[in-house]
Amino acid sequence: MTEARGSAGSGGRAHTRYASGTPCWVSLMAHGLTATQDFYSALFGWEYRPGPHQLGPYARALLHGEQVAGIGQLPPDRHLPVAWTPYLASDDVDSTAESVRLCGGTIGVGPLDAGDAGRLAIGSDPAGAVFGLWQAARHLGTGVTGVPGTPAWNELRTFEAAGVVKFYETVFGHERDTGADADADHITLKLAGRPVAGIRGMGNTLPRDRGSHWLTSFQVTDADDALRRVRDLGGQVLTPVQDDPRGRVATVADPEGAVFSVIELRG
């Protein structure tokens, strides 16, 4: 993503257009829109702005006046998993969607216009992990990063990293970096030499009820305090705080079961 000129709010990095293949937005579809918004508002300090109306009941979460994520309401007759979905930037969603299909993935929604905000599609990779595609028009994506309450990282959790990395390399132009730990089934995806996402092979520890899935991490000031607030707000702690090369991280779920991570980044 490219640096924007101008203010980013309270010390964060503001962005203009995201390079193709870069995670640029995260969105959650839930059953109880108001209750879900209240949970994340209390946890991250988010405020909300409605729209775009083409997506039905939907709101964009704001932090310091900048858009950071989206929360929408699932139709009552749609019994779909409640999950955070990362969107990868595309210069041409229709062309990228076709590449997804040709490389063994599927497109379940779109491509379709979201008013003057942009054009989107929702698909899955050959292992079944769901992601979105976003072709920006007026809405460029997450407006600020690098401060608590903003998306910090997206990682694909799958059975075997090597089994799907070729898909992301071919469709999005990602480069792979296996890192120094040859024993860990982990690949960092890069664009122009810059890390943008990760793929972690979990083998038999991959949750059977979830299968392959993308996991979004949100930055927090204090991971232990964030876990206390998650519990107090009706969520669940799935894994305790652990040390990670990037900081102190824990996996949690909101009251409807949407799984995400909180990370206290290293200084």
PDB file of all heavy atoms in Angstrom, residues 59-94:
ATOM      1  N   ALA A  59     -22.523  -1.298   7.470  1.00  0.00           N
ATOM      2  CA  ALA A  59     -21.919  -0.071   7.992  1.00  0.00           C
ATOM      3  C   ALA A  59     -20.408  -0.185   7.922  1.00  0.00           C
ATOM      4  O   ALA A  59     -19.839  -1.280   8.047  1.00  0.00           O
ATOM      5  CB  ALA A  59     -22.363   0.179   9.426  1.00  0.00           C
ATOM      6  N   ARG A  60     -19.765   0.948   7.716  1.00  0.00           N
ATOM      7  CA  ARG A  60     -18.312   1.009   7.756  1.00  0.00           C
ATOM      8  C   ARG A  60     -17.871   1.501   9.125  1.00  0.00           C
ATOM      9  O   ARG A  60     -18.374   2.513   9.621  1.00  0.00           O
ATOM     10  CB  ARG A  60     -17.779   1.936   6.666  1.00  0.00           C
ATOM     11  CG  ARG A  60     -18.051   1.421   5.260  1.00  0.00           C
ATOM     12  CD  ARG A  60     -17.636   2.437   4.233  1.00  0.00           C
ATOM     13  NE  ARG A  60     -18.029   2.008   2.878  1.00  0.00           N
ATOM     14  CZ  ARG A  60     -18.068   2.809   1.839  1.00  0.00           C
ATOM     15  NH1 ARG A  60     -17.761   4.093   1.986  1.00  0.00           N
ATOM     16  NH2 ARG A  60     -18.424   2.348   0.654  1.00  0.00           N
ATOM     17  N   ALA A  61     -16.944   0.764   9.725  1.00  0.00           N
ATOM     18  CA  ALA A  61     -16.405   1.145  11.029  1.00  0.00           C
ATOM     19  C   ALA A  61     -15.360   2.227  10.853  1.00  0.00           C
ATOM     20  O   ALA A  61     -14.513   2.142   9.955  1.00  0.00           O
ATOM     21  CB  ALA A  61     -15.802  -0.067  11.725  1.00  0.00           C
ATOM     22  N   LEU A  62     -15.423   3.244  11.706  1.00  0.00           N
ATOM     23  CA  LEU A  62     -14.495   4.366  11.641  1.00  0.00           C
ATOM     24  C   LEU A  62     -13.656   4.427  12.915  1.00  0.00           C
ATOM     25  O   LEU A  62     -14.151   4.166  14.017  1.00  0.00           O
ATOM     26  CB  LEU A  62     -15.256   5.692  11.493  1.00  0.00           C
ATOM     27  CG  LEU A  62     -16.256   5.832  10.345  1.00  0.00           C
ATOM     28  CD1 LEU A  62     -16.925   7.190  10.407  1.00  0.00           C
ATOM     29  CD2 LEU A  62     -15.570   5.624   9.014  1.00  0.00           C
ATOM     30  N   LEU A  63     -12.394   4.801  12.742  1.00  0.00           N
ATOM     31  CA  LEU A  63     -11.493   5.058  13.858  1.00  0.00           C
ATOM     32  C   LEU A  63     -10.756   6.349  13.536  1.00  0.00           C
ATOM     33  O   LEU A  63     -10.113   6.449  12.481  1.00  0.00           O
ATOM     34  CB  LEU A  63     -10.508   3.896  14.035  1.00  0.00           C
ATOM     35  CG  LEU A  63      -9.640   3.935  15.284  1.00  0.00           C
ATOM     36  CD1 LEU A  63     -10.479   3.733  16.536  1.00  0.00           C
ATOM     37  CD2 LEU A  63      -8.546   2.869  15.200  1.00  0.00           C
ATOM     38  N   HIS A  64     -10.867   7.340  14.436  1.00  0.00           N
ATOM     39  CA  HIS A  64     -10.279   8.667  14.184  1.00  0.00           C
ATOM     40  C   HIS A  64     -10.779   9.238  12.855  1.00  0.00           C
ATOM     41  O   HIS A  64     -10.046   9.938  12.150  1.00  0.00           O
ATOM     42  CB  HIS A  64      -8.755   8.595  14.187  1.00  0.00           C
ATOM     43  CG  HIS A  64      -8.168   7.886  15.367  1.00  0.00           C
ATOM     44  ND1 HIS A  64      -8.522   8.180  16.668  1.00  0.00           N
ATOM     45  CD2 HIS A  64      -7.262   6.869  15.436  1.00  0.00           C
ATOM     46  CE1 HIS A  64      -7.846   7.395  17.495  1.00  0.00           C
ATOM     47  NE2 HIS A  64      -7.086   6.592  16.771  1.00  0.00           N
ATOM     48  N   GLY A  65     -12.022   8.908  12.505  1.00  0.00           N
ATOM     49  CA  GLY A  65     -12.618   9.424  11.283  1.00  0.00           C
ATOM     50  C   GLY A  65     -12.244   8.679  10.022  1.00  0.00           C
ATOM     51  O   GLY A  65     -12.732   9.013   8.939  1.00  0.00           O
ATOM     52  N   GLU A  66     -11.380   7.665  10.121  1.00  0.00           N
ATOM     53  CA  GLU A  66     -10.946   6.885   8.960  1.00  0.00           C
ATOM     54  C   GLU A  66     -11.637   5.521   8.960  1.00  0.00           C
ATOM     55  O   GLU A  66     -11.830   4.903  10.003  1.00  0.00           O
ATOM     56  CB  GLU A  66      -9.421   6.677   8.990  1.00  0.00           C
ATOM     57  CG  GLU A  66      -8.613   7.955   8.905  1.00  0.00           C
ATOM     58  CD  GLU A  66      -8.576   8.523   7.503  1.00  0.00           C
ATOM     59  OE1 GLU A  66      -9.050   7.843   6.568  1.00  0.00           O
ATOM     60  OE2 GLU A  66      -8.061   9.654   7.346  1.00  0.00           O
ATOM     61  N   GLN A  67     -11.986   5.038   7.766  1.00  0.00           N
ATOM     62  CA  GLN A  67     -12.649   3.742   7.638  1.00  0.00           C
ATOM     63  C   GLN A  67     -11.641   2.616   7.843  1.00  0.00           C
ATOM     64  O   GLN A  67     -10.558   2.637   7.257  1.00  0.00           O
ATOM     65  CB  GLN A  67     -13.289   3.627   6.262  1.00  0.00           C
ATOM     66  CG  GLN A  67     -14.323   4.715   5.999  1.00  0.00           C
ATOM     67  CD  GLN A  67     -14.913   4.640   4.610  1.00  0.00           C
ATOM     68  OE1 GLN A  67     -15.237   3.572   4.126  1.00  0.00           O
ATOM     69  NE2 GLN A  67     -15.051   5.797   3.959  1.00  0.00           N
ATOM     70  N   VAL A  68     -12.017   1.643   8.694  1.00  0.00           N
ATOM     71  CA  VAL A  68     -11.077   0.560   9.002  1.00  0.00           C
ATOM     72  C   VAL A  68     -11.634  -0.827   8.707  1.00  0.00           C
ATOM     73  O   VAL A  68     -10.865  -1.777   8.534  1.00  0.00           O
ATOM     74  CB  VAL A  68     -10.614   0.621  10.475  1.00  0.00           C
ATOM     75  CG1 VAL A  68      -9.788   1.869  10.730  1.00  0.00           C
ATOM     76  CG2 VAL A  68     -11.792   0.562  11.440  1.00  0.00           C
ATOM     77  N   ALA A  69     -12.962  -0.997   8.671  1.00  0.00           N
ATOM     78  CA  ALA A  69     -13.550  -2.320   8.463  1.00  0.00           C
ATOM     79  C   ALA A  69     -15.038  -2.156   8.158  1.00  0.00           C
ATOM     80  O   ALA A  69     -15.585  -1.056   8.299  1.00  0.00           O
ATOM     81  CB  ALA A  69     -13.352  -3.208   9.700  1.00  0.00           C
ATOM     82  N   GLY A  70     -15.669  -3.227   7.746  1.00  0.00           N
ATOM     83  CA  GLY A  70     -17.094  -3.206   7.459  1.00  0.00           C
ATOM     84  C   GLY A  70     -17.833  -4.292   8.233  1.00  0.00           C
ATOM     85  O   GLY A  70     -17.278  -5.376   8.474  1.00  0.00           O
ATOM     86  N   ILE A  71     -19.052  -3.999   8.640  1.00  0.00           N
ATOM     87  CA  ILE A  71     -19.903  -4.983   9.311  1.00  0.00           C
ATOM     88  C   ILE A  71     -21.283  -4.934   8.665  1.00  0.00           C
ATOM     89  O   ILE A  71     -21.902  -3.869   8.596  1.00  0.00           O
ATOM     90  CB  ILE A  71     -20.018  -4.726  10.822  1.00  0.00           C
ATOM     91  CG1 ILE A  71     -18.651  -4.783  11.500  1.00  0.00           C
ATOM     92  CG2 ILE A  71     -20.971  -5.742  11.468  1.00  0.00           C
ATOM     93  CD1 ILE A  71     -18.681  -4.488  12.986  1.00  0.00           C
ATOM     94  N   GLY A  72     -21.742  -6.075   8.167  1.00  0.00           N
ATOM     95  CA  GLY A  72     -23.053  -6.155   7.540  1.00  0.00           C
ATOM     96  C   GLY A  72     -23.919  -7.206   8.204  1.00  0.00           C
ATOM     97  O   GLY A  72     -23.455  -7.958   9.069  1.00  0.00           O
ATOM     98  N   GLN A  73     -25.168  -7.262   7.780  1.00  0.00           N
ATOM     99  CA  GLN A  73     -26.123  -8.199   8.368  1.00  0.00           C
ATOM    100  C   GLN A  73     -26.457  -9.295   7.369  1.00  0.00           C
ATOM    101  O   GLN A  73     -26.799  -9.034   6.207  1.00  0.00           O
ATOM    102  CB  GLN A  73     -27.404  -7.483   8.779  1.00  0.00           C
ATOM    103  CG  GLN A  73     -28.397  -8.394   9.488  1.00  0.00           C
ATOM    104  CD  GLN A  73     -29.501  -7.612  10.176  1.00  0.00           C
ATOM    105  OE1 GLN A  73     -29.482  -6.384  10.182  1.00  0.00           O
ATOM    106  NE2 GLN A  73     -30.444  -8.311  10.764  1.00  0.00           N
ATOM    107  N   LEU A  74     -26.356 -10.541   7.820  1.00  0.00           N
ATOM    108  CA  LEU A  74     -26.731 -11.667   6.988  1.00  0.00           C
ATOM    109  C   LEU A  74     -28.249 -11.707   6.818  1.00  0.00           C
ATOM    110  O   LEU A  74     -28.989 -11.443   7.776  1.00  0.00           O
ATOM    111  CB  LEU A  74     -26.275 -12.980   7.629  1.00  0.00           C
ATOM    112  CG  LEU A  74     -24.780 -13.304   7.557  1.00  0.00           C
ATOM    113  CD1 LEU A  74     -24.457 -14.456   8.488  1.00  0.00           C
ATOM    114  CD2 LEU A  74     -24.373 -13.645   6.131  1.00  0.00           C
ATOM    115  N   PRO A  75     -28.750 -12.040   5.635  1.00  0.00           N
ATOM    116  CA  PRO A  75     -30.188 -12.215   5.464  1.00  0.00           C
ATOM    117  C   PRO A  75     -30.698 -13.318   6.399  1.00  0.00           C
ATOM    118  O   PRO A  75     -29.981 -14.300   6.644  1.00  0.00           O
ATOM    119  CB  PRO A  75     -30.332 -12.628   3.993  1.00  0.00           C
ATOM    120  CG  PRO A  75     -29.091 -12.138   3.335  1.00  0.00           C
ATOM    121  CD  PRO A  75     -28.012 -12.230   4.375  1.00  0.00           C
ATOM    122  N   PRO A  76     -31.910 -13.166   6.938  1.00  0.00           N
ATOM    123  CA  PRO A  76     -32.423 -14.152   7.904  1.00  0.00           C
ATOM    124  C   PRO A  76     -32.464 -15.574   7.362  1.00  0.00           C
ATOM    125  O   PRO A  76     -32.347 -16.536   8.131  1.00  0.00           O
ATOM    126  CB  PRO A  76     -33.835 -13.634   8.205  1.00  0.00           C
ATOM    127  CG  PRO A  76     -33.796 -12.179   7.872  1.00  0.00           C
ATOM    128  CD  PRO A  76     -32.845 -12.045   6.729  1.00  0.00           C
ATOM    129  N   ASP A  77     -32.619 -15.724   6.049  1.00  0.00           N
ATOM    130  CA  ASP A  77     -32.733 -17.058   5.466  1.00  0.00           C
ATOM    131  C   ASP A  77     -31.392 -17.646   5.036  1.00  0.00           C
ATOM    132  O   ASP A  77     -31.335 -18.730   4.470  1.00  0.00           O
ATOM    133  CB  ASP A  77     -33.678 -17.036   4.259  1.00  0.00           C
ATOM    134  CG  ASP A  77     -33.215 -16.067   3.174  1.00  0.00           C
ATOM    135  OD1 ASP A  77     -32.395 -15.186   3.494  1.00  0.00           O
ATOM    136  OD2 ASP A  77     -33.686 -16.197   2.035  1.00  0.00           O
ATOM    137  N   ARG A  78     -30.296 -16.925   5.291  1.00  0.00           N
ATOM    138  CA  ARG A  78     -28.975 -17.413   4.899  1.00  0.00           C
ATOM    139  C   ARG A  78     -28.226 -17.910   6.127  1.00  0.00           C
ATOM    140  O   ARG A  78     -27.850 -17.124   6.989  1.00  0.00           O
ATOM    141  CB  ARG A  78     -28.162 -16.298   4.209  1.00  0.00           C
ATOM    142  CG  ARG A  78     -28.795 -15.744   2.942  1.00  0.00           C
ATOM    143  CD  ARG A  78     -28.785 -16.763   1.813  1.00  0.00           C
ATOM    144  NE  ARG A  78     -27.444 -17.145   1.411  1.00  0.00           N
ATOM    145  CZ  ARG A  78     -26.701 -16.446   0.559  1.00  0.00           C
ATOM    146  NH1 ARG A  78     -27.165 -15.310   0.047  1.00  0.00           N
ATOM    147  NH2 ARG A  78     -25.507 -16.879   0.226  1.00  0.00           N
ATOM    148  N   HIS A  79     -28.053 -19.213   6.214  1.00  0.00           N
ATOM    149  CA  HIS A  79     -27.369 -19.807   7.362  1.00  0.00           C
ATOM    150  C   HIS A  79     -25.896 -20.017   7.017  1.00  0.00           C
ATOM    151  O   HIS A  79     -25.432 -21.136   6.811  1.00  0.00           O
ATOM    152  CB  HIS A  79     -28.047 -21.114   7.762  1.00  0.00           C
ATOM    153  CG  HIS A  79     -29.486 -20.955   8.133  1.00  0.00           C
ATOM    154  ND1 HIS A  79     -29.888 -20.356   9.316  1.00  0.00           N
ATOM    155  CD2 HIS A  79     -30.625 -21.271   7.453  1.00  0.00           C
ATOM    156  CE1 HIS A  79     -31.217 -20.321   9.356  1.00  0.00           C
ATOM    157  NE2 HIS A  79     -31.690 -20.867   8.245  1.00  0.00           N
ATOM    158  N   LEU A  80     -25.177 -18.900   6.930  1.00  0.00           N
ATOM    159  CA  LEU A  80     -23.770 -18.923   6.565  1.00  0.00           C
ATOM    160  C   LEU A  80     -22.897 -18.729   7.803  1.00  0.00           C
ATOM    161  O   LEU A  80     -23.337 -18.149   8.797  1.00  0.00           O
ATOM    162  CB  LEU A  80     -23.479 -17.812   5.545  1.00  0.00           C
ATOM    163  CG  LEU A  80     -24.233 -17.903   4.215  1.00  0.00           C
ATOM    164  CD1 LEU A  80     -23.965 -16.652   3.381  1.00  0.00           C
ATOM    165  CD2 LEU A  80     -23.827 -19.147   3.454  1.00  0.00           C
ATOM    166  N   PRO A  81     -21.652 -19.209   7.755  1.00  0.00           N
ATOM    167  CA  PRO A  81     -20.752 -18.986   8.885  1.00  0.00           C
ATOM    168  C   PRO A  81     -20.519 -17.497   9.115  1.00  0.00           C
ATOM    169  O   PRO A  81     -20.389 -16.721   8.161  1.00  0.00           O
ATOM    170  CB  PRO A  81     -19.455 -19.688   8.448  1.00  0.00           C
ATOM    171  CG  PRO A  81     -19.863 -20.648   7.384  1.00  0.00           C
ATOM    172  CD  PRO A  81     -21.032 -20.018   6.690  1.00  0.00           C
ATOM    173  N   VAL A  82     -20.476 -17.113  10.367  1.00  0.00           N
ATOM    174  CA  VAL A  82     -20.155 -15.734  10.726  1.00  0.00           C
ATOM    175  C   VAL A  82     -18.637 -15.640  10.830  1.00  0.00           C
ATOM    176  O   VAL A  82     -18.022 -16.257  11.701  1.00  0.00           O
ATOM    177  CB  VAL A  82     -20.823 -15.337  12.054  1.00  0.00           C
ATOM    178  CG1 VAL A  82     -20.437 -13.922  12.454  1.00  0.00           C
ATOM    179  CG2 VAL A  82     -22.336 -15.463  11.941  1.00  0.00           C
ATOM    180  N   ALA A  83     -18.020 -14.897   9.911  1.00  0.00           N
ATOM    181  CA  ALA A  83     -16.561 -14.876   9.854  1.00  0.00           C
ATOM    182  C   ALA A  83     -16.071 -13.573   9.249  1.00  0.00           C
ATOM    183  O   ALA A  83     -16.733 -12.972   8.398  1.00  0.00           O
ATOM    184  CB  ALA A  83     -16.046 -16.051   9.007  1.00  0.00           C
ATOM    185  N   TRP A  84     -14.889 -13.158   9.695  1.00  0.00           N
ATOM    186  CA  TRP A  84     -14.213 -12.017   9.084  1.00  0.00           C
ATOM    187  C   TRP A  84     -13.628 -12.446   7.746  1.00  0.00           C
ATOM    188  O   TRP A  84     -13.017 -13.508   7.648  1.00  0.00           O
ATOM    189  CB  TRP A  84     -13.106 -11.496   9.995  1.00  0.00           C
ATOM    190  CG  TRP A  84     -13.602 -10.632  11.105  1.00  0.00           C
ATOM    191  CD1 TRP A  84     -13.797 -10.989  12.410  1.00  0.00           C
ATOM    192  CD2 TRP A  84     -13.969  -9.255  11.011  1.00  0.00           C
ATOM    193  NE1 TRP A  84     -14.271  -9.921  13.129  1.00  0.00           N
ATOM    194  CE2 TRP A  84     -14.386  -8.848  12.291  1.00  0.00           C
ATOM    195  CE3 TRP A  84     -13.996  -8.340   9.956  1.00  0.00           C
ATOM    196  CZ2 TRP A  84     -14.824  -7.553  12.555  1.00  0.00           C
ATOM    197  CZ3 TRP A  84     -14.425  -7.048  10.210  1.00  0.00           C
ATOM    198  CH2 TRP A  84     -14.833  -6.666  11.499  1.00  0.00           C
ATOM    199  N   THR A  85     -13.795 -11.621   6.727  1.00  0.00           N
ATOM    200  CA  THR A  85     -13.303 -11.921   5.387  1.00  0.00           C
ATOM    201  C   THR A  85     -12.361 -10.814   4.928  1.00  0.00           C
ATOM    202  O   THR A  85     -12.766  -9.653   4.863  1.00  0.00           O
ATOM    203  CB  THR A  85     -14.462 -12.035   4.380  1.00  0.00           C
ATOM    204  OG1 THR A  85     -15.344 -13.081   4.798  1.00  0.00           O
ATOM    205  CG2 THR A  85     -13.948 -12.334   2.979  1.00  0.00           C
ATOM    206  N   PRO A  86     -11.095 -11.154   4.606  1.00  0.00           N
ATOM    207  CA  PRO A  86     -10.205 -10.140   4.046  1.00  0.00           C
ATOM    208  C   PRO A  86     -10.470  -9.960   2.551  1.00  0.00           C
ATOM    209  O   PRO A  86     -10.810 -10.912   1.847  1.00  0.00           O
ATOM    210  CB  PRO A  86      -8.814 -10.736   4.276  1.00  0.00           C
ATOM    211  CG  PRO A  86      -9.038 -12.213   4.240  1.00  0.00           C
ATOM    212  CD  PRO A  86     -10.415 -12.446   4.795  1.00  0.00           C
ATOM    213  N   TYR A  87     -10.312  -8.736   2.070  1.00  0.00           N
ATOM    214  CA  TYR A  87     -10.438  -8.426   0.650  1.00  0.00           C
ATOM    215  C   TYR A  87      -9.066  -8.074   0.098  1.00  0.00           C
ATOM    216  O   TYR A  87      -8.328  -7.300   0.708  1.00  0.00           O
ATOM    217  CB  TYR A  87     -11.394  -7.250   0.440  1.00  0.00           C
ATOM    218  CG  TYR A  87     -12.854  -7.630   0.541  1.00  0.00           C
ATOM    219  CD1 TYR A  87     -13.422  -7.969   1.768  1.00  0.00           C
ATOM    220  CD2 TYR A  87     -13.667  -7.663  -0.596  1.00  0.00           C
ATOM    221  CE1 TYR A  87     -14.755  -8.333   1.864  1.00  0.00           C
ATOM    222  CE2 TYR A  87     -15.001  -8.024  -0.505  1.00  0.00           C
ATOM    223  CZ  TYR A  87     -15.544  -8.353   0.726  1.00  0.00           C
ATOM    224  OH  TYR A  87     -16.863  -8.728   0.814  1.00  0.00           O
ATOM    225  N   LEU A  88      -8.737  -8.653  -1.050  1.00  0.00           N
ATOM    226  CA  LEU A  88      -7.478  -8.370  -1.718  1.00  0.00           C
ATOM    227  C   LEU A  88      -7.732  -7.384  -2.855  1.00  0.00           C
ATOM    228  O   LEU A  88      -8.694  -7.533  -3.619  1.00  0.00           O
ATOM    229  CB  LEU A  88      -6.854  -9.646  -2.271  1.00  0.00           C
ATOM    230  CG  LEU A  88      -6.660 -10.787  -1.257  1.00  0.00           C
ATOM    231  CD1 LEU A  88      -5.992 -11.981  -1.933  1.00  0.00           C
ATOM    232  CD2 LEU A  88      -5.847 -10.331  -0.061  1.00  0.00           C
ATOM    233  N   ALA A  89      -6.874  -6.386  -2.961  1.00  0.00           N
ATOM    234  CA  ALA A  89      -7.042  -5.354  -3.971  1.00  0.00           C
ATOM    235  C   ALA A  89      -6.856  -5.934  -5.372  1.00  0.00           C
ATOM    236  O   ALA A  89      -6.027  -6.822  -5.597  1.00  0.00           O
ATOM    237  CB  ALA A  89      -6.039  -4.228  -3.740  1.00  0.00           C
ATOM    238  N   SER A  90      -7.645  -5.418  -6.303  1.00  0.00           N
ATOM    239  CA  SER A  90      -7.549  -5.838  -7.699  1.00  0.00           C
ATOM    240  C   SER A  90      -7.731  -4.615  -8.590  1.00  0.00           C
ATOM    241  O   SER A  90      -8.573  -3.762  -8.318  1.00  0.00           O
ATOM    242  CB  SER A  90      -8.625  -6.882  -8.027  1.00  0.00           C
ATOM    243  OG  SER A  90      -8.695  -7.136  -9.414  1.00  0.00           O
ATOM    244  N   ASP A  91      -6.956  -4.544  -9.649  1.00  0.00           N
ATOM    245  CA  ASP A  91      -7.138  -3.475 -10.626  1.00  0.00           C
ATOM    246  C   ASP A  91      -8.305  -3.767 -11.559  1.00  0.00           C
ATOM    247  O   ASP A  91      -8.834  -2.860 -12.199  1.00  0.00           O
ATOM    248  CB  ASP A  91      -5.852  -3.286 -11.443  1.00  0.00           C
ATOM    249  CG  ASP A  91      -4.683  -2.798 -10.599  1.00  0.00           C
ATOM    250  OD1 ASP A  91      -4.940  -2.092  -9.595  1.00  0.00           O
ATOM    251  OD2 ASP A  91      -3.532  -3.126 -10.934  1.00  0.00           O
ATOM    252  N   ASP A  92      -8.706  -5.042 -11.656  1.00  0.00           N
ATOM    253  CA  ASP A  92      -9.797  -5.458 -12.531  1.00  0.00           C
ATOM    254  C   ASP A  92     -10.425  -6.704 -11.925  1.00  0.00           C
ATOM    255  O   ASP A  92      -9.926  -7.821 -12.116  1.00  0.00           O
ATOM    256  CB  ASP A  92      -9.270  -5.743 -13.941  1.00  0.00           C
ATOM    257  CG  ASP A  92     -10.362  -6.086 -14.943  1.00  0.00           C
ATOM    258  OD1 ASP A  92     -11.450  -6.533 -14.531  1.00  0.00           O
ATOM    259  OD2 ASP A  92     -10.124  -5.925 -16.155  1.00  0.00           O
ATOM    260  N   VAL A  93     -11.504  -6.515 -11.149  1.00  0.00           N
ATOM    261  CA  VAL A  93     -12.116  -7.632 -10.436  1.00  0.00           C
ATOM    262  C   VAL A  93     -12.594  -8.717 -11.389  1.00  0.00           C
ATOM    263  O   VAL A  93     -12.465  -9.909 -11.097  1.00  0.00           O
ATOM    264  CB  VAL A  93     -13.274  -7.131  -9.543  1.00  0.00           C
ATOM    265  CG1 VAL A  93     -14.237  -8.257  -9.211  1.00  0.00           C
ATOM    266  CG2 VAL A  93     -12.721  -6.545  -8.246  1.00  0.00           C
ATOM    267  N   ASP A  94     -13.154  -8.344 -12.527  1.00  0.00           N
ATOM    268  CA  ASP A  94     -13.667  -9.352 -13.456  1.00  0.00           C
ATOM    269  C   ASP A  94     -12.543 -10.253 -13.956  1.00  0.00           C
ATOM    270  O   ASP A  94     -12.696 -11.481 -14.029  1.00  0.00           O
ATOM    271  CB  ASP A  94     -14.375  -8.663 -14.619  1.00  0.00           C
ATOM    272  CG  ASP A  94     -15.631  -7.923 -14.175  1.00  0.00           C
ATOM    273  OD1 ASP A  94     -15.493  -6.800 -13.664  1.00  0.00           O
ATOM    274  OD2 ASP A  94     -16.724  -8.478 -14.307  1.00  0.00           O
TER     275      ASP A  94
END
